[in-house]
Amino acid sequence: MKIKKITSLLLSLLLCSVLASAKGNQDNAKLLNGKWKLIKETEGGKEITPKHSRLVIEFNKKGEFTITAAYEETHNGTYKLEENGTKIILNDAISKQEKTLTIEKIDKNHLNLGGFDGANTIIEMTPASKKELELTHREHLVVNKWHCYESDDSVNVELVIEFHADKTYVIIPAGFRIPTAYGDWHIEDKEPNKILLDKKEDGEHLELQIVEIETHVLVLKSIEENGITNHFRDEQLWREKQKENK
């Protein structure tokens, strides 16, 4: 009889633990959903200069994440919550690596994550306001990761250019895994068919004419004598087509 009671008690405790863990995951999943921007970073308890400029992390209800930062390549993939909602496991679709983050604090106004830039680092984030993310319709079309599939200059074929919502960009040449050029971009109200690139590495300015732009297609021409025309398509769409051809 005592054995039955002990067994029953252990089963009850185990069930309570499982239910508590599930509830913790559900509660934090609801709070986590949305876009978060970096406001502070600490290492070993001391505030440091953030290692990423204008860092934004977005988590959605489908279990997907997107990480953007000024002058850096965008990373995305899937995530899941573990250990009663206190840990986030990121599976990066770009690097094919797994990363574990600890949730040090979370509520509707705060998200503190440990381990983003190392074991002793904590990034402190707050919800990104909608006003900060507002873009014109044309700017929304430009913001994407574009793969060059045709160009007047063969060197540019397979080049990738990524326009971020924070008005920064990175360029990854064919055969490279990391950006080699980066800077800021904008479209002037009076000239909606022109993209202006301000290159951070050398301070130069580049003007590109928008020849064609749709949801998955972008054609750009450099504004100079004998300007080169480059044809781009959505990077994700290109990857899917590559898989279909294999």
Side-chain angles (χ1 to χ4, degrees):
M1 183 67 72
K2 288 183 178 180
I3 293 175
K4 288 183 178 180
K5 287 183 177 180
I6 293 172
T7 302
S8 177
L9 179 60
L10 289 173
L11 288 172
S12 296
L13 290 173
L14 179 61
L15 179 60
C16 288
S17 176
V18 170
L19 291 174
S21 177
K23 188 177 186 303
N25 284 350
Q26 290 174 359
D27 290 345
N28 281 359
K30 290 179 181 178
L31 290 169
L32 199 60
N33 183 53
K35 286 188 177 182
W36 300 86
K37 67 174 182 178
L38 178 69
I39 55 173
K40 180 181 176 181
E41 184 167 3
T42 61
E43 186 169 19
K46 296 181 179 180
E47 185 172 355
I48 62 173
T49 300
K51 298 180 180 180
H52 306 275
S53 176
R54 289 179 250 174
L55 176 68
V56 173
I57 305 179
E58 180 179 10
F59 299 96
N60 68 24
K61 295 178 181 178
K62 296 179 181 179
E64 300 166 335
F65 75 88
T66 301
I67 300 174
T68 60
Y71 321 121
E72 296 183 37
E73 184 180 11
T74 295
H75 286 260
N76 51 57
T78 59
Y79 75 92
K80 60 182 177 180
L81 290 172
E82 291 188 351
E83 296 192 22
N84 198 26
T86 60
K87 286 189 177 182
I88 307 172
I89 311 298
L90 305 180
N91 287 293
D92 195 318
I94 304 299
S95 67
K96 307 299 181 184
Q97 294 180 343
E98 184 177 279
K99 190 181 187 74
T100 300
L101 306 177
T102 59
I103 297 179
E104 304 294 330
K105 178 180 180 180
I106 186 169
D107 57 40
K108 65 180 182 178
N109 295 315
H110 305 90
L111 175 62
N112 296 358
L113 298 175
F116 189 83
D117 286 316
N120 297 318
T121 62
I122 294 176
I123 54 172
E124 299 183 15
M125 312 191 82
T126 192
S129 70
K130 291 182 179 180
K131 286 186 178 180
E132 290 177 290
L133 304 173
E134 282 182 358
L135 296 171
T136 66
H137 175 67
R138 202 158 187 77
E139 288 169 338
H140 270 294
L141 289 174
V142 169
V143 172
N144 204 337
K145 191 171 186 176
W146 299 100
H147 180 95
C148 181
Y149 66 93
E150 183 181 334
S151 174
D152 294 340
D153 186 345
S154 60
V155 173
N156 291 339
V157 175
E158 294 195 9
L159 171 147
V160 171
I161 183 167
E162 188 173 325
F163 294 102
H164 299 160
D166 64 0
K167 301 292 186 68
T168 64
Y169 73 89
V170 295
I171 296 176
I172 307 172
F176 285 73
R177 296 180 64 101
I178 59 175
T180 61
Y182 57 91
D184 301 291
W185 70 273
H186 71 277
I187 297 175
E188 293 186 355
D189 293 336
K190 295 181 180 179
E191 297 183 275
N193 287 324
K194 185 188 293 183
I195 301 178
L196 303 178
L197 304 184
D198 296 321
K199 300 167 68 176
K200 284 290 183 183
E201 64 270 26
D202 55 19
E204 291 185 2
H205 305 282
L206 180 63
E207 295 185 3
L208 299 174
Q209 179 187 350
I210 300 175
V211 179
E212 181 183 356
I213 186 167
E214 296 178 12
T215 306
H216 298 297
V217 176
L218 175 64
V219 180
L220 298 175
K221 182 178 181 179
S222 57
I223 301 177
E224 57 184 36
E225 189 177 354
N226 298 322
I228 296 170
T229 299
N230 298 304
H231 298 254
F232 296 87
R233 58 188 163 206
D234 181 286
E235 170 78 358
Q236 184 176 351
L237 182 66
W238 176 81
R239 288 179 182 275
E240 291 173 357
K241 287 188 177 181
Q242 288 290 94
K243 287 181 181 180
E244 290 175 3
N245 294 333
K246 288 184 178 180

